[in-house]
Amino acid sequence: GAPIGELQNELFDNQKSWIEKDGLMLNEFDLQTLYGKSIPEGYVMTPQTAYMMVRLLRGVVQGGTGTRLLALGKPVGGKTGTTNDLQDAWFVGYTPRFISGVWVGYDNGRTLGKGETGSRTASPIWLGFMDRILKDKPVRMFQVPEGVVFAKIDAETGLLPIPESRKTLFECFKEGSVPTEYTKKPDTIVDAESFFKSDM
């Protein structure tokens, strides 16, 4: 096949007409991120984008449908899934070194039964399998690539927090994309309409 660099250029060239048709206002950073101009040779996405996806999918385990996988005691990311009428359930998960997936269902499309979701049905199988694979192996951490920075943000607004922020998150960003605006204090008047409403 063609080298990755040629495929990236072809991807970008194929998208130019859509960028113009949709009137998208993309800066150089957007073009590099969305259309592959900054993807290193041998990669299918930038290491920074890959790490951000790792963080998102670790969230499934840390506070979403995959929390039972915390029992593994090692860094894990992944995604549960369930089709309509509970016909299929799956969990695809990974650690810094291994990836595996579990699907549960009938070949004839029959329902698995009430409550048989990816979280309840597939993830325990994945947990048992990976527990054996990782037994006696050292804990490995997901490596943070260059170009990723961390900042505390307001969980409700996605902006920089102020002392009144009720809940804050420590989140990762690509360099140059950290919010620069602070969350507004409750009842702060920021436009004429709000001023007139408050005055009445």
Side-chain angles (χ1 to χ4, degrees):
I4 295 288
E6 286 179 29
L7 294 175
Q8 291 168 5
N9 290 334
E10 184 180 330
L11 172 68
F12 178 72
D13 290 339
N14 289 341
Q15 298 304 316
K16 279 183 183 173
S17 63
W18 290 104
I19 296 170
E20 292 167 11
K21 181 180 176 211
D22 293 340
L24 300 179
M25 302 294 291
L26 302 176
N27 61 34
E28 189 58 33
F29 179 79
D30 296 330
L31 292 171
Q32 289 177 351
T33 303
L34 296 172
Y35 298 105
K37 289 294 188 176
S38 68
I39 299 174
E41 188 69 32
Y43 288 77
V44 295
M45 68 176 67
T46 66
Q48 295 79 19
T49 298
Y51 181 77
M52 293 176 89
M53 291 304 301
V54 165
R55 289 272 297 193
L56 289 170
L57 293 172
R58 285 193 71 194
V60 171
V61 174
Q62 292 168 335
T65 56
T67 53
R68 75 174 67 237
L69 302 168
L70 291 171
L72 192 61
K74 298 190 174 165
V76 176
K79 184 70 182 84
T80 60
T82 310
T83 57
N84 293 350
D85 302 322
L86 304 167
Q87 290 182 345
D88 301 276
W90 66 88
F91 180 78
V92 176
Y94 58 92
T95 67
R97 190 166 180 196
F98 299 102
I99 183 170
S100 62
V102 170
W103 169 81
V104 180
Y106 294 101
D107 289 339
N108 63 7
R110 187 176 124 202
T111 184
L112 291 168
K114 185 176 180 180
E116 299 302 323
T117 62
S119 175
R120 179 175 165 171
T121 307
S123 69
I125 298 169
W126 189 93
L127 177 61
F129 174 72
M130 289 304 285
D131 192 43
R132 286 186 177 186
I133 295 292
L134 296 173
K135 188 175 184 167
D136 302 324
K137 296 215 173 22
V139 174
R140 290 180 179 229
M141 304 304 287
F142 291 101
Q143 298 298 309
V144 181
E146 286 184 32
V148 170
V149 295
F150 292 84
K152 194 179 267 193
I153 60 167
D154 185 305
E156 291 180 9
T157 66
L159 302 174
L160 296 174
I162 58 173
E164 290 84 358
S165 295
R166 289 188 209 125
K167 184 177 178 188
T168 59
L169 299 172
F170 195 58
E171 200 48 77
C172 68
F173 296 88
K174 290 182 181 179
E175 270 181 357
S177 67
V178 176
T180 55
E181 187 180 337
Y182 282 87
T183 298
K184 304 284 186 269
K185 291 182 182 179
D187 303 321
T188 299
I189 296 173
V190 293
D191 56 50
E193 185 180 346
S194 299
F195 172 77
F196 288 119
K197 283 180 181 176
S198 69
D199 197 37
M200 298 180 85

